[in-house]
Short mmCIF file of all heavy atoms in Angstrom, two decimals:
data_model
loop_
_atom_site.label_atom_id
_atom_site.label_comp_id
_atom_site.label_asym_id
_atom_site.label_seq_id
_atom_site.Cartn_x
_atom_site.Cartn_y
_atom_site.Cartn_z
N GLU T 113 5.86 4.19 -10.13
CA GLU T 113 5.67 3.35 -11.30
C GLU T 113 5.24 4.17 -12.52
O GLU T 113 5.29 3.69 -13.64
CB GLU T 113 4.65 2.23 -11.01
CG GLU T 113 3.25 2.72 -10.76
CD GLU T 113 2.25 1.58 -10.64
OE1 GLU T 113 2.63 0.53 -10.10
OE2 GLU T 113 1.12 1.76 -11.09
N ASP T 135 3.18 3.87 -5.59
CA ASP T 135 2.22 3.59 -6.66
C ASP T 135 1.08 4.59 -6.41
O ASP T 135 0.31 4.42 -5.46
CB ASP T 135 1.73 2.13 -6.54
CG ASP T 135 0.64 1.80 -7.54
OD1 ASP T 135 0.26 2.68 -8.33
OD2 ASP T 135 0.17 0.65 -7.51
N ILE T 137 -1.76 5.53 -7.91
CA ILE T 137 -3.12 4.95 -7.94
C ILE T 137 -2.97 3.47 -8.23
O ILE T 137 -2.48 3.08 -9.29
CB ILE T 137 -4.02 5.59 -9.03
CG1 ILE T 137 -4.31 7.06 -8.73
CG2 ILE T 137 -5.32 4.80 -9.17
CD1 ILE T 137 -5.32 7.33 -7.63
N ASP T 138 -3.38 2.67 -7.28
CA ASP T 138 -3.39 1.23 -7.48
C ASP T 138 -4.82 0.79 -7.79
O ASP T 138 -5.75 1.16 -7.08
CB ASP T 138 -2.91 0.52 -6.21
CG ASP T 138 -3.05 -0.98 -6.35
OD1 ASP T 138 -2.34 -1.56 -7.19
OD2 ASP T 138 -3.90 -1.56 -5.66
N GLY T 139 -4.94 0.05 -8.90
CA GLY T 139 -6.27 -0.40 -9.32
C GLY T 139 -6.90 0.58 -10.30
O GLY T 139 -8.11 0.81 -10.28
N ILE T 152 0.01 3.19 -2.71
CA ILE T 152 0.95 2.39 -1.92
C ILE T 152 2.24 3.20 -1.78
O ILE T 152 2.66 3.86 -2.74
CB ILE T 152 1.25 1.04 -2.62
CG1 ILE T 152 -0.05 0.32 -3.00
CG2 ILE T 152 2.12 0.15 -1.73
CD1 ILE T 152 0.16 -0.93 -3.86
N MET T 262 -5.33 -4.35 -5.79
CA MET T 262 -4.74 -5.22 -4.77
C MET T 262 -4.79 -4.61 -3.38
O MET T 262 -4.88 -5.33 -2.39
CB MET T 262 -3.31 -5.60 -5.15
CG MET T 262 -2.35 -4.46 -5.13
SD MET T 262 -0.72 -4.90 -5.77
CE MET T 262 -0.16 -6.07 -4.59
N LEU T 289 3.14 -7.25 -10.96
CA LEU T 289 3.29 -6.29 -9.86
C LEU T 289 4.74 -5.86 -9.67
O LEU T 289 5.66 -6.65 -9.81
CB LEU T 289 2.71 -6.90 -8.59
CG LEU T 289 1.23 -7.28 -8.77
CD1 LEU T 289 0.72 -8.04 -7.57
CD2 LEU T 289 0.38 -6.04 -9.04
N ARG T 290 4.88 -4.58 -9.36
CA ARG T 290 6.20 -3.97 -9.26
C ARG T 290 6.77 -4.14 -7.85
O ARG T 290 6.09 -3.83 -6.86
CB ARG T 290 6.12 -2.48 -9.59
CG ARG T 290 6.11 -2.11 -11.04
CD ARG T 290 4.91 -2.31 -11.89
NE ARG T 290 3.57 -2.27 -11.39
CZ ARG T 290 2.51 -1.99 -12.14
NH1 ARG T 290 2.64 -1.70 -13.42
NH2 ARG T 290 1.30 -2.03 -11.63
N GLU T 294 4.93 -1.81 -5.13
CA GLU T 294 3.73 -2.56 -4.74
C GLU T 294 4.07 -3.73 -3.81
O GLU T 294 3.64 -3.78 -2.66
CB GLU T 294 3.01 -3.08 -6.00
CG GLU T 294 2.44 -1.96 -6.86
CD GLU T 294 1.89 -2.42 -8.20
OE1 GLU T 294 2.56 -3.20 -8.90
OE2 GLU T 294 0.78 -1.99 -8.56
MN1 MN L 2 -0.74 -0.98 -8.54
#
Side-chain angles (χ1 to χ4, degrees):
E113 66 174 35
D135 175 0
I137 294 285
D138 174 66
I152 309 172
M262 67 187 295
L289 302 172
R290 279 74 29 156
E294 294 172 313

